[in-house]
Amino acid sequence: MGKKVAVFRKEHFNAAHRLHNPDWSDEKNQSVFGLCNNPNYHGHNYELVVQVTGEPDPATGYVVDMKILSELVQEEVLNRFDHKNLNLDTAAFAKLNPTAENIAMVIYDLLRARLDEKLDLKIRLYETERNFVEYPA
Ligand code: NI
């Protein structure tokens, strides 16, 4: 079995969201989600790190062509979410609470569907400088 290398592509997008569970009272939503429950939404500067792991192709020396990876992220993630209200403007979060966890899982599924199955994929998403998530864990 060959040696695997991880390659990373960093991207950035801005988006608004509101965390809210419609099954709960306003008080409970406020107490669980705090500032992220603001009824009029608020924005985050999301930092996205896409990690692709695999054996470098013997012909190119690449795990994945970074130009193709960056176009893929542009197409599937940035075009869909950048400068959008995640709750109101995107089908993915019409019914799904747009937490960093859920956003990372949605991004994973979008990219996974377009990547060679022999490559491993991991998503790291920063909602703030100090708060970030990884999927798969
Ligand atoms: Ni928030």
Side-chain angles (χ1 to χ4, degrees):
M1 176 150 140
K3 294 176 177 172
K4 288 189 171 184
V5 180
V7 302
F8 302 80
R9 175 75 190 178
K10 283 173 78 175
E11 295 286 355
H12 175 85
F13 61 96
N14 303 311
H17 76 167
R18 181 193 190 201
L19 302 185
H20 185 78
N21 183 332
D23 297 336
W24 293 348
S25 68
D26 289 350
E27 293 69 30
K28 181 159 184 190
N29 271 290
Q30 180 59 48
S31 111
V32 172
F33 297 123
L35 289 172
C36 279
N37 182 242
N38 179 31
N40 291 329
Y41 307 94
H42 61 279
H44 288 283
N45 295 313
Y46 291 97
E47 293 288 344
L48 170 65
V49 181
V50 175
Q51 175 181 343
V52 177
T53 305
E55 294 174 23
D57 182 298
T60 60
Y62 288 163
V63 172
V64 63
D65 185 325
M66 291 308 254
K67 183 169 174 292
I68 291 171
L69 181 63
S70 114
E71 286 166 359
L72 194 58
V73 175
Q74 177 72 45
E75 210 176 298
E76 293 293 344
V77 181
L78 305 188
N79 292 357
R80 204 178 244 110
F81 299 139
D82 190 28
H83 285 73
K84 296 291 171 58
N85 179 313
L86 297 177
N87 304 74
L88 301 181
D89 300 334
T90 75
F93 300 105
K95 293 201 173 71
L96 180 65
N97 214 14
T99 58
E101 291 88 333
N102 283 333
I103 298 169
M105 289 193 283
V106 165
I107 290 173
Y108 176 91
D109 288 343
L110 289 167
L111 297 178
R112 183 68 274 180
R114 303 277 309 270
L115 270 183
D116 190 322
E117 61 185 17
K118 68 179 188 290
L119 298 171
D120 292 323
L121 174 65
K122 184 173 266 202
I123 301 302
R124 176 181 281 200
L125 183 71
Y126 290 81
E127 189 172 78
T128 69
E129 270 182 45
R130 294 166 191 266
N131 293 343
F132 59 95
V133 302
E134 267 190 353
Y135 181 76

